[in-house]
Amino acid sequence: MTLAAGTELATAANEHLANISNTLIYSAMAVYTLAFFAYIAEWLFGSRSKVARTAAALTTTAKGKGAAPAVTVKTAGGTAVLERPKVVVRSSAGSRDVPDGPGAHGGDEQGDLYGRIAISLTVLAFVVHLVGVIARAASVQRAPWGNMYEFNITFSTVAVGVYLTLLALKKNVRWLGLFLITTVLLDLGIAVTVLYTASDQLVPALHSYWLYIHVSTAILCGAVFYVGAAGTLLYLFKDSYETKLENGGTPGRFATSFLERLPASSSLDKFAYRLNAAVFPLWTFTIIAGAIWAESAWGRYWGWDPKETWAFITWVAYACYLHARATAGWKGRKAAYLALIAFGCWLFNYYGVNIFVSGKHSYAGV
């Protein structure tokens, strides 16, 4: 076999693997869509939380006359009517010792069934998605993150992997499923329509083992930052809901049905903080690894390239958030706003710099 013929066979094999990868990515999107509808069903068919159902049952007016039902106890000589007990569905004013909600299923058996189906579909989609990413790597014979398309499909795989890992560790995060799958579908939709780039080799500057170290850690950090940002955003909604109840307000029916099933605001706050704090050292390492790679590729550790600048801005923003959490006056909502600003910096570093800004890191391929 001639060298030219061997090259043609290799090219054809790579193109075949690329087509397989594309098919698998689209198949994963189809399964994610089924999971999306299953998560929707879990939220729709799940009943209200057990705490809310109990409170409603004990505070319902008697025959519509405005009198709450009393508790009666039959005794030997007749019937003794006791004072109706006070139902405590949240903590006293000024404190936030609120129990977590039952989850998206609302403590309902039918809702829980749909939730389990959604998780099963998510696992199936994740496996198909992962194999699609591996096929893409095989088609280019390198790590599958040489351009924005590959970065997107890999990032969304890792984000789902983080979610499934937390579930496997018995963490109460099933409420995150609907929001995660929605954004994963958006991410993959953007990848296959706007960011798609045919399989190709890397520019010379990227031919380094640091590609595997630096970019892989950046993807993992981004996935964890995303999950933390989702928890932070839901914390803000749940905190407003609890504050309104604490002040004697009456939230709308939709807000009540949705927010009472989520973990308490304190739980969401701790969840987001722990994720961000755990991954922050790895983000620090990502920047250091990038600097070492830059010295190897371009002969300098730091040059204030737009990607480098925004990576540092993101680091500073998360450092401010973590410092704010340790400062009494900046806990709670103020620190949460900082966390969302930090994630916004990461998103701009992810999309904005690669697509709209020219620099040594302009490998978007779009």
PDB file of all heavy atoms in Angstrom, residues 84-107:
ATOM      1  N   ARG A  84     -56.973  24.304  69.468  1.00  0.00           N
ATOM      2  CA  ARG A  84     -56.304  23.908  68.225  1.00  0.00           C
ATOM      3  C   ARG A  84     -54.821  24.214  68.335  1.00  0.00           C
ATOM      4  O   ARG A  84     -54.420  25.310  68.708  1.00  0.00           O
ATOM      5  CB  ARG A  84     -56.904  24.675  67.036  1.00  0.00           C
ATOM      6  CG  ARG A  84     -56.290  24.285  65.684  1.00  0.00           C
ATOM      7  CD  ARG A  84     -57.032  24.974  64.560  1.00  0.00           C
ATOM      8  NE  ARG A  84     -56.918  26.427  64.653  1.00  0.00           N
ATOM      9  CZ  ARG A  84     -55.942  27.127  64.094  1.00  0.00           C
ATOM     10  NH1 ARG A  84     -54.992  26.523  63.431  1.00  0.00           N
ATOM     11  NH2 ARG A  84     -55.907  28.441  64.228  1.00  0.00           N
ATOM     12  N   PRO A  85     -53.977  23.225  68.021  1.00  0.00           N
ATOM     13  CA  PRO A  85     -52.523  23.463  68.162  1.00  0.00           C
ATOM     14  C   PRO A  85     -52.012  24.460  67.139  1.00  0.00           C
ATOM     15  O   PRO A  85     -52.533  24.578  66.029  1.00  0.00           O
ATOM     16  CB  PRO A  85     -51.928  22.064  67.901  1.00  0.00           C
ATOM     17  CG  PRO A  85     -52.936  21.396  67.015  1.00  0.00           C
ATOM     18  CD  PRO A  85     -54.278  21.885  67.513  1.00  0.00           C
ATOM     19  N   LYS A  86     -50.988  25.185  67.519  1.00  0.00           N
ATOM     20  CA  LYS A  86     -50.356  26.122  66.610  1.00  0.00           C
ATOM     21  C   LYS A  86     -49.449  25.363  65.648  1.00  0.00           C
ATOM     22  O   LYS A  86     -48.625  24.568  66.062  1.00  0.00           O
ATOM     23  CB  LYS A  86     -49.538  27.154  67.396  1.00  0.00           C
ATOM     24  CG  LYS A  86     -48.856  28.195  66.511  1.00  0.00           C
ATOM     25  CD  LYS A  86     -48.061  29.170  67.353  1.00  0.00           C
ATOM     26  CE  LYS A  86     -47.364  30.200  66.475  1.00  0.00           C
ATOM     27  NZ  LYS A  86     -46.563  31.152  67.296  1.00  0.00           N
ATOM     28  N   VAL A  87     -49.657  25.598  64.381  1.00  0.00           N
ATOM     29  CA  VAL A  87     -48.865  24.908  63.364  1.00  0.00           C
ATOM     30  C   VAL A  87     -47.671  25.770  62.986  1.00  0.00           C
ATOM     31  O   VAL A  87     -47.828  26.904  62.544  1.00  0.00           O
ATOM     32  CB  VAL A  87     -49.723  24.621  62.106  1.00  0.00           C
ATOM     33  CG1 VAL A  87     -48.877  23.908  61.056  1.00  0.00           C
ATOM     34  CG2 VAL A  87     -50.937  23.787  62.478  1.00  0.00           C
ATOM     35  N   VAL A  88     -46.486  25.250  63.188  1.00  0.00           N
ATOM     36  CA  VAL A  88     -45.261  25.975  62.856  1.00  0.00           C
ATOM     37  C   VAL A  88     -44.704  25.396  61.553  1.00  0.00           C
ATOM     38  O   VAL A  88     -44.272  24.252  61.513  1.00  0.00           O
ATOM     39  CB  VAL A  88     -44.221  25.854  63.978  1.00  0.00           C
ATOM     40  CG1 VAL A  88     -42.943  26.603  63.606  1.00  0.00           C
ATOM     41  CG2 VAL A  88     -44.792  26.372  65.280  1.00  0.00           C
ATOM     42  N   VAL A  89     -44.774  26.173  60.506  1.00  0.00           N
ATOM     43  CA  VAL A  89     -44.277  25.693  59.216  1.00  0.00           C
ATOM     44  C   VAL A  89     -42.955  26.346  58.852  1.00  0.00           C
ATOM     45  O   VAL A  89     -42.365  26.056  57.839  1.00  0.00           O
ATOM     46  CB  VAL A  89     -45.298  25.973  58.089  1.00  0.00           C
ATOM     47  CG1 VAL A  89     -46.547  25.165  58.311  1.00  0.00           C
ATOM     48  CG2 VAL A  89     -45.632  27.459  58.005  1.00  0.00           C
ATOM     49  N   ARG A  90     -42.468  27.276  59.659  1.00  0.00           N
ATOM     50  CA  ARG A  90     -41.150  27.872  59.472  1.00  0.00           C
ATOM     51  C   ARG A  90     -40.672  28.401  60.824  1.00  0.00           C
ATOM     52  O   ARG A  90     -41.408  28.390  61.811  1.00  0.00           O
ATOM     53  CB  ARG A  90     -41.162  28.986  58.423  1.00  0.00           C
ATOM     54  CG  ARG A  90     -42.163  30.107  58.688  1.00  0.00           C
ATOM     55  CD  ARG A  90     -41.996  31.203  57.659  1.00  0.00           C
ATOM     56  NE  ARG A  90     -40.779  31.956  57.878  1.00  0.00           N
ATOM     57  CZ  ARG A  90     -39.707  31.893  57.090  1.00  0.00           C
ATOM     58  NH1 ARG A  90     -39.709  31.109  56.054  1.00  0.00           N
ATOM     59  NH2 ARG A  90     -38.645  32.604  57.347  1.00  0.00           N
ATOM     60  N   SER A  91     -39.476  28.864  60.865  1.00  0.00           N
ATOM     61  CA  SER A  91     -38.908  29.280  62.138  1.00  0.00           C
ATOM     62  C   SER A  91     -39.466  30.613  62.582  1.00  0.00           C
ATOM     63  O   SER A  91     -40.183  31.297  61.865  1.00  0.00           O
ATOM     64  CB  SER A  91     -37.385  29.369  61.999  1.00  0.00           C
ATOM     65  OG  SER A  91     -37.070  30.310  60.990  1.00  0.00           O
ATOM     66  N   SER A  92     -39.117  31.004  63.775  1.00  0.00           N
ATOM     67  CA  SER A  92     -39.579  32.282  64.304  1.00  0.00           C
ATOM     68  C   SER A  92     -38.907  33.429  63.562  1.00  0.00           C
ATOM     69  O   SER A  92     -37.895  33.269  62.902  1.00  0.00           O
ATOM     70  CB  SER A  92     -39.252  32.357  65.793  1.00  0.00           C
ATOM     71  OG  SER A  92     -37.858  32.233  65.987  1.00  0.00           O
ATOM     72  N   ALA A  93     -39.478  34.615  63.712  1.00  0.00           N
ATOM     73  CA  ALA A  93     -38.958  35.787  63.013  1.00  0.00           C
ATOM     74  C   ALA A  93     -37.499  36.036  63.394  1.00  0.00           C
ATOM     75  O   ALA A  93     -37.119  35.904  64.556  1.00  0.00           O
ATOM     76  CB  ALA A  93     -39.807  37.012  63.348  1.00  0.00           C
ATOM     77  N   GLY A  94     -36.711  36.395  62.381  1.00  0.00           N
ATOM     78  CA  GLY A  94     -35.320  36.711  62.624  1.00  0.00           C
ATOM     79  C   GLY A  94     -34.382  35.533  62.504  1.00  0.00           C
ATOM     80  O   GLY A  94     -33.167  35.695  62.527  1.00  0.00           O
ATOM     81  N   SER A  95     -34.920  34.333  62.360  1.00  0.00           N
ATOM     82  CA  SER A  95     -34.075  33.150  62.191  1.00  0.00           C
ATOM     83  C   SER A  95     -34.448  32.452  60.897  1.00  0.00           C
ATOM     84  O   SER A  95     -35.477  32.702  60.307  1.00  0.00           O
ATOM     85  CB  SER A  95     -34.238  32.192  63.373  1.00  0.00           C
ATOM     86  OG  SER A  95     -35.563  31.686  63.401  1.00  0.00           O
ATOM     87  N   ARG A  96     -33.556  31.571  60.453  1.00  0.00           N
ATOM     88  CA  ARG A  96     -33.799  30.888  59.188  1.00  0.00           C
ATOM     89  C   ARG A  96     -33.595  29.382  59.324  1.00  0.00           C
ATOM     90  O   ARG A  96     -32.973  28.753  58.490  1.00  0.00           O
ATOM     91  CB  ARG A  96     -32.871  31.448  58.107  1.00  0.00           C
ATOM     92  CG  ARG A  96     -33.316  32.804  57.577  1.00  0.00           C
ATOM     93  CD  ARG A  96     -34.716  32.715  56.977  1.00  0.00           C
ATOM     94  NE  ARG A  96     -35.195  34.001  56.568  1.00  0.00           N
ATOM     95  CZ  ARG A  96     -34.981  34.520  55.359  1.00  0.00           C
ATOM     96  NH1 ARG A  96     -34.268  33.860  54.486  1.00  0.00           N
ATOM     97  NH2 ARG A  96     -35.469  35.693  55.049  1.00  0.00           N
ATOM     98  N   ASP A  97     -34.120  28.816  60.387  1.00  0.00           N
ATOM     99  CA  ASP A  97     -34.034  27.374  60.569  1.00  0.00           C
ATOM    100  C   ASP A  97     -35.227  26.731  59.867  1.00  0.00           C
ATOM    101  O   ASP A  97     -36.142  26.208  60.484  1.00  0.00           O
ATOM    102  CB  ASP A  97     -34.011  27.035  62.052  1.00  0.00           C
ATOM    103  CG  ASP A  97     -33.801  25.553  62.297  1.00  0.00           C
ATOM    104  OD1 ASP A  97     -33.317  24.876  61.379  1.00  0.00           O
ATOM    105  OD2 ASP A  97     -34.135  25.088  63.400  1.00  0.00           O
ATOM    106  N   VAL A  98     -35.223  26.801  58.526  1.00  0.00           N
ATOM    107  CA  VAL A  98     -36.348  26.333  57.730  1.00  0.00           C
ATOM    108  C   VAL A  98     -36.029  24.945  57.180  1.00  0.00           C
ATOM    109  O   VAL A  98     -34.942  24.729  56.647  1.00  0.00           O
ATOM    110  CB  VAL A  98     -36.627  27.301  56.566  1.00  0.00           C
ATOM    111  CG1 VAL A  98     -37.828  26.849  55.755  1.00  0.00           C
ATOM    112  CG2 VAL A  98     -36.861  28.695  57.114  1.00  0.00           C
ATOM    113  N   PRO A  99     -36.939  23.991  57.284  1.00  0.00           N
ATOM    114  CA  PRO A  99     -36.660  22.647  56.752  1.00  0.00           C
ATOM    115  C   PRO A  99     -36.611  22.654  55.225  1.00  0.00           C
ATOM    116  O   PRO A  99     -37.258  23.468  54.573  1.00  0.00           O
ATOM    117  CB  PRO A  99     -37.845  21.819  57.265  1.00  0.00           C
ATOM    118  CG  PRO A  99     -38.946  22.810  57.460  1.00  0.00           C
ATOM    119  CD  PRO A  99     -38.260  24.075  57.918  1.00  0.00           C
ATOM    120  N   ASP A 100     -35.817  21.763  54.674  1.00  0.00           N
ATOM    121  CA  ASP A 100     -35.750  21.641  53.226  1.00  0.00           C
ATOM    122  C   ASP A 100     -37.059  21.109  52.666  1.00  0.00           C
ATOM    123  O   ASP A 100     -37.766  20.326  53.316  1.00  0.00           O
ATOM    124  CB  ASP A 100     -34.621  20.682  52.822  1.00  0.00           C
ATOM    125  CG  ASP A 100     -33.243  21.280  53.051  1.00  0.00           C
ATOM    126  OD1 ASP A 100     -33.159  22.510  53.199  1.00  0.00           O
ATOM    127  OD2 ASP A 100     -32.264  20.521  53.079  1.00  0.00           O
ATOM    128  N   GLY A 101     -37.384  21.537  51.447  1.00  0.00           N
ATOM    129  CA  GLY A 101     -38.553  21.017  50.766  1.00  0.00           C
ATOM    130  C   GLY A 101     -38.321  19.579  50.329  1.00  0.00           C
ATOM    131  O   GLY A 101     -37.196  19.084  50.351  1.00  0.00           O
ATOM    132  N   PRO A 102     -39.353  18.890  49.920  1.00  0.00           N
ATOM    133  CA  PRO A 102     -39.230  17.475  49.570  1.00  0.00           C
ATOM    134  C   PRO A 102     -38.585  17.229  48.212  1.00  0.00           C
ATOM    135  O   PRO A 102     -38.310  16.097  47.843  1.00  0.00           O
ATOM    136  CB  PRO A 102     -40.685  17.001  49.566  1.00  0.00           C
ATOM    137  CG  PRO A 102     -41.451  18.220  49.157  1.00  0.00           C
ATOM    138  CD  PRO A 102     -40.728  19.381  49.786  1.00  0.00           C
ATOM    139  N   GLY A 103     -38.365  18.270  47.434  1.00  0.00           N
ATOM    140  CA  GLY A 103     -37.818  18.079  46.092  1.00  0.00           C
ATOM    141  C   GLY A 103     -38.869  18.321  45.029  1.00  0.00           C
ATOM    142  O   GLY A 103     -40.030  18.619  45.324  1.00  0.00           O
ATOM    143  N   ALA A 104     -38.462  18.188  43.777  1.00  0.00           N
ATOM    144  CA  ALA A 104     -39.376  18.471  42.668  1.00  0.00           C
ATOM    145  C   ALA A 104     -40.607  17.587  42.693  1.00  0.00           C
ATOM    146  O   ALA A 104     -41.695  18.004  42.296  1.00  0.00           O
ATOM    147  CB  ALA A 104     -38.631  18.301  41.343  1.00  0.00           C
ATOM    148  N   HIS A 105     -40.457  16.355  43.167  1.00  0.00           N
ATOM    149  CA  HIS A 105     -41.590  15.423  43.193  1.00  0.00           C
ATOM    150  C   HIS A 105     -42.617  15.794  44.239  1.00  0.00           C
ATOM    151  O   HIS A 105     -43.748  15.276  44.219  1.00  0.00           O
ATOM    152  CB  HIS A 105     -41.099  13.998  43.440  1.00  0.00           C
ATOM    153  CG  HIS A 105     -40.280  13.860  44.687  1.00  0.00           C
ATOM    154  ND1 HIS A 105     -40.838  13.755  45.936  1.00  0.00           N
ATOM    155  CD2 HIS A 105     -38.946  13.845  44.873  1.00  0.00           C
ATOM    156  CE1 HIS A 105     -39.885  13.651  46.844  1.00  0.00           C
ATOM    157  NE2 HIS A 105     -38.725  13.712  46.231  1.00  0.00           N
ATOM    158  N   GLY A 106     -42.254  16.682  45.165  1.00  0.00           N
ATOM    159  CA  GLY A 106     -43.197  17.151  46.169  1.00  0.00           C
ATOM    160  C   GLY A 106     -43.641  16.111  47.159  1.00  0.00           C
ATOM    161  O   GLY A 106     -44.685  16.242  47.797  1.00  0.00           O
ATOM    162  N   GLY A 107     -42.879  15.017  47.319  1.00  0.00           N
ATOM    163  CA  GLY A 107     -43.291  13.972  48.239  1.00  0.00           C
ATOM    164  C   GLY A 107     -44.373  13.092  47.676  1.00  0.00           C
ATOM    165  O   GLY A 107     -44.948  12.262  48.386  1.00  0.00           O
TER     166      GLY A 107
END
